[in-house]
Amino acid sequence: MTENAPDRRLRVLSTSDLAGLDISLSDVLATVEGACRALADGSSDNPRKLTVKPGDGHSVSYAMLGRDGFREVVAVKTSYKHGLDKGREEQRYYTTLTLYDDTTGLPVAMMDCSRIGSLRTPAVSALLARELAAPDARSALVIGTGTQGRLALPFLVTALPGLERLMVSGTHPEGLSAVESELRTHFPDRDVEVVSDLRAAAERADVIIATAGGHTPAAVEAGWLKEGALAILVGHGLAPSTLHRADRVIATSEAQMNVTGTDMADADGELRTVETEFPAVLTGAATGRTSTAERIFAYNSGLVVTDIALGHRFAQLALDSGLGTEVALWQ
């Protein structure tokens, strides 16, 4: 084997390599949906994530391994966030995805996973809304203005074009401006209403997506939700009552919800039982909404198979454009 043999080199794709790649919201939705369907039919594997968190809670680390059976790709994702005890501007976040071709046995690429994560999570939320919202849903509220909050509405409108009233609740003026700007970038004719009365907005919303950070004062209670409402939890912004008093609970992964959703436990430290997992709803193997009146709680914890599928899509686009740097990692 020569020193330049392909299995001794790894293509590294940086943040800037991936930033310039053009991919539509519809493309992202289709890629993520395909990954969920492959998981539901048993051709993909998505084990529970491993978590490490120090006693004082100043950081959190995750490791996720998965296999995309449709693309024949195996991948490892790592995620590390530091400064959870500090303000947003002082926090540090690093995440990587390493892909391997399971047909050739060769590495595909290692990449910064931040853009991938920023896209696949709101895409899953939009798919949850498409499948679980009441048929006559016309209003949506997003809580939080970070990365997930800024992309939530463009994906939501792509998946549910019939939405008429779009609302956002947040405490950071620059974040609120970014939410408005992001929506206008994708939908120039759509407006978002900045709300100051969270309860009043929640009482009007058919779909609520809570993406706020851990320090948020927002906490929508179950009693605020209208009949037929869908509440999707991504980060923070929903009180535990929305889970425990829901008519139906659906999670992207019950195992992951039991790991990362402990802040939603009741007074006895227990979480509500999940009626079904979302990939099965997508394929029709399980029922999502059973009536127009029921209030549904959906937990979006992220699935590594969606990172793998979208990461592989980005890798294809980047390699076709000659992007990235080859590193002789294994020599």
Side-chain angles (χ1 to χ4, degrees), residues 13 16 18 48 58 60 89 92 100 104 108 130 161 172 176 197 215 231 254 257 267 277 308 312 317:
L13 299 171
S16 57
L18 300 177
R48 188 175 74 176
H58 75 269
V60 64
E89 67 283 349
R92 299 291 180 267
Y100 301 90
T104 66
V108 177
R130 189 191 73 188
H172 300 280
L176 292 168
D197 187 335
H215 297 295
E254 184 172 17
M257 176 175 159
E277 293 186 328
I308 296 171
H312 189 253
L317 293 171

Side-chain angles (χ1 to χ4, degrees), residues 19-33:
L21 294 175
D22 186 25
I23 187 168
S24 69
L25 300 182
S26 296
D27 191 342
V28 174
L29 282 171
T31 301
V32 169
E33 181 173 356

